[in-house]
Amino acid sequence: MGPITSLMSRLYGTRGWAVLAAAAFVLFVVFPLLNLAVPASSPFHVSAYWVTLVGKIMCYAIVALAMDLIWGYAGILSLGHGLFFALGGYAFGMYLMRQIGADGQYRVNMPDFMVFLDWKEFPWQWWNSDQFWWCALLVVLVPGLLAFVFGYFAFRSRVKGVYFSIITQALTYAAMLLFFRNATGFGGNNGFTDFKRILGIPITTPGTRMALFATTGLVLIAALLLARFIVTSKFGRVLAAIRDAEQRVMFCGYDTAHYKLFIWTLSAVLCGIAGALYVPQVGIINPGEMSPANSIEIAIWVAVGGRGTLVGAIAGAGIVNGAKSFLTQMFPEFWLYFLGLLFILVTLFLPQGVVGLWNRLTARRKPV
């Protein structure tokens, strides 16, 4: 058995790879064909609305994977992951705003909000933001560096449990208040919107939307495989041991702070990448993405799908956000009640989430 075959068998069995291949076929073949090749008059046509909706949910699924890595496998519950998601979105949003050029309302080679506020030049944080490679680098560096610095002091100080959750929530709330200020140079309450182009290509064309959709699907699959590789390795087993009995792991000679810091920083970077993919597809990023409620929702996605399963995190993001898209259209005033009820029901009756329920049902079907 070669090293590649050995690695593949370690990640997933034959059935797992078959499901992954089927999902890839749908994302990269079926969806593009039904959207680009099938005429809009056909009942089999996939509209731009569905392309954007599924693309957005896949971005959320990457965030849910990132949350499952730290919560499901390391026992670190963050209530501030919406901050890293938004920072990635803002980092890439700067590039998209520079791509507007002089096509804005004021016909000036600056974002409209800067012209409105009588800014004469770009602030320091916008340096080189007209370069794709630089903003793509910021998407990784800004959330990663913030997470590293925050995690270094938090884990070295042995902050954990509910105290860590509260601090992360306070961090994202403080950042949200900061970004609401016009003086920060990020559009204040309105944030970034009205994007025109990406890499010089019109962003609203069907081909561009499908390219963004396919890129998001590719990143989601890559993130899943990376997460699976980590949790099935020796590193992942140490993380699980830290989750279950950190004191015993420390007595065995492991520096648990290093393990937690690495997985925490990686999780933040994945959120930043998801935010960067989210912004051009949805067309807006504002401080509301940093709200504590959004970060709490991320934890709900993982709980609904199944904490510590990876696939469950993706399923939970799909279930909750799919229901949200439907209910906010049909019953907008009841959506938050539904979300609260769903979390209560899952906590009481499905502690292992939807994946845990599925595993129990399939186990009953197997012959004794």
Side-chain angles (χ1 to χ4, degrees):
M1 181 181 294
I4 297 180
T5 305
S6 177
L7 175 62
M8 292 179 63
S9 62
R10 194 186 89 185
L11 293 179
Y12 285 109
T14 304
R15 182 179 178 184
W17 282 108
V19 172
L20 198 60
F25 179 78
V26 171
L27 291 177
F28 304 134
V29 178
V30 176
F31 247 79
L33 285 177
L34 295 182
N35 174 248
L36 299 175
V38 176
S41 58
S42 172
F44 298 102
H45 175 73
V46 173
S47 66
Y49 168 81
W50 282 102
V51 172
T52 301
L53 177 61
V54 176
K56 179 177 72 171
I57 291 177
M58 286 194 294
C59 292
Y60 289 152
I62 298 172
V63 178
L65 272 176
M67 172 65 81
D68 200 22
L69 274 176
I70 60 167
W71 187 29
Y73 291 93
I76 305 169
L77 175 57
S78 167
L79 296 181
H81 257 41
L83 170 60
F84 305 126
F85 177 80
L87 287 177
Y90 269 101
F92 196 67
M94 288 193 296
Y95 169 76
L96 296 175
M97 293 298 289
R98 294 295 297 272
Q99 283 276 290
I100 296 175
D103 292 341
Q105 181 178 354
Y106 297 99
R107 303 299 176 184
V108 178
N109 197 23
M110 289 183 74
D112 287 345
F113 72 87
M114 289 187 178
V115 180
F116 179 78
L117 295 173
D118 200 27
W119 290 51
K120 302 303 182 183
E121 58 183 13
F122 287 98
W124 65 268
Q125 62 268 31
W126 283 73
W127 177 81
N128 215 29
S129 57
D130 59 336
Q131 299 296 318
F132 177 87
W133 68 270
W134 174 250
C135 289
L137 192 62
L138 289 180
V139 166
V140 175
L141 288 182
V142 174
L145 184 59
L146 176 62
F148 180 84
V149 173
F150 174 83
Y152 177 83
F153 290 105
F155 298 137
R156 295 281 293 185
S157 303
R158 307 282 178 82
V159 179
K160 56 185 178 180
V162 65
Y163 303 103
F164 185 88
S165 301
I166 292 173
I167 292 175
T168 56
Q169 190 172 55
L171 177 67
T172 189
Y173 185 69
M176 181 185 70
L177 295 180
L178 176 65
F179 273 72
F180 267 122
R181 297 175 59 88
N182 289 325
T184 57
F186 293 110
N189 181 63
N190 295 322
F192 299 157
T193 188
D194 196 29
F195 308 128
K196 307 292 185 184
R197 288 174 290 272
I198 180 171
L199 293 173
I201 304 171
I203 203 168
T204 57
T205 62
T208 304
R209 289 191 177 278
M210 185 51 61
L212 290 168
F213 175 91
T215 302
T216 306
L218 185 62
V219 173
L220 174 58
I221 293 175
L224 174 61
L225 294 178
L226 174 62
R228 182 67 178 171
F229 173 79
I230 291 173
V231 301
T232 56
S233 66
K234 179 183 176 181
F235 183 92
R237 292 194 291 272
V238 174
L239 281 180
I242 292 172
R243 175 196 62 197
D244 297 333
E246 185 174 357
Q247 291 293 334
R248 292 185 182 182
V249 177
M250 294 174 63
F251 290 147
C252 291
Y254 290 93
D255 189 342
T256 59
H258 290 167
Y259 285 83
K260 293 163 72 174
L261 182 59
F262 173 82
I263 202 66
W264 166 257
T265 305
L266 175 62
S267 178
V269 168
L270 288 175
C271 286
I273 294 172
L277 292 168
Y278 171 90
V279 170
Q281 294 182 86
V282 176
I284 188 172
I285 181 71
N286 58 45
E289 296 294 340
M290 298 181 187
S291 70
N294 284 11
S295 295
I296 293 173
E297 270 194 46
I298 297 171
I300 293 176
W301 302 342
V302 178
V304 169
R307 176 186 167 197
T309 60
L310 297 182
V311 173
I314 296 175
I319 292 170
V320 175
N321 287 288
K324 181 178 182 178
S325 297
F326 173 75
L327 292 173
T328 50
Q329 292 183 29
M330 303 300 295
F331 312 102
E333 65 274 15
F334 297 114
W335 156 244
L336 291 178
Y337 296 105
F338 170 79
L339 184 63
L341 178 62
L342 178 64
F343 189 57
I344 292 172
L345 292 176
V346 168
T347 303
L348 293 177
F349 303 108
L350 295 175
Q352 295 178 322
V354 174
V355 169
L357 175 63
W358 173 262
N359 290 337
R360 289 200 301 270
L361 293 175
T362 54
R364 291 177 182 177
R365 297 176 184 175
K366 295 180 180 179
V368 181

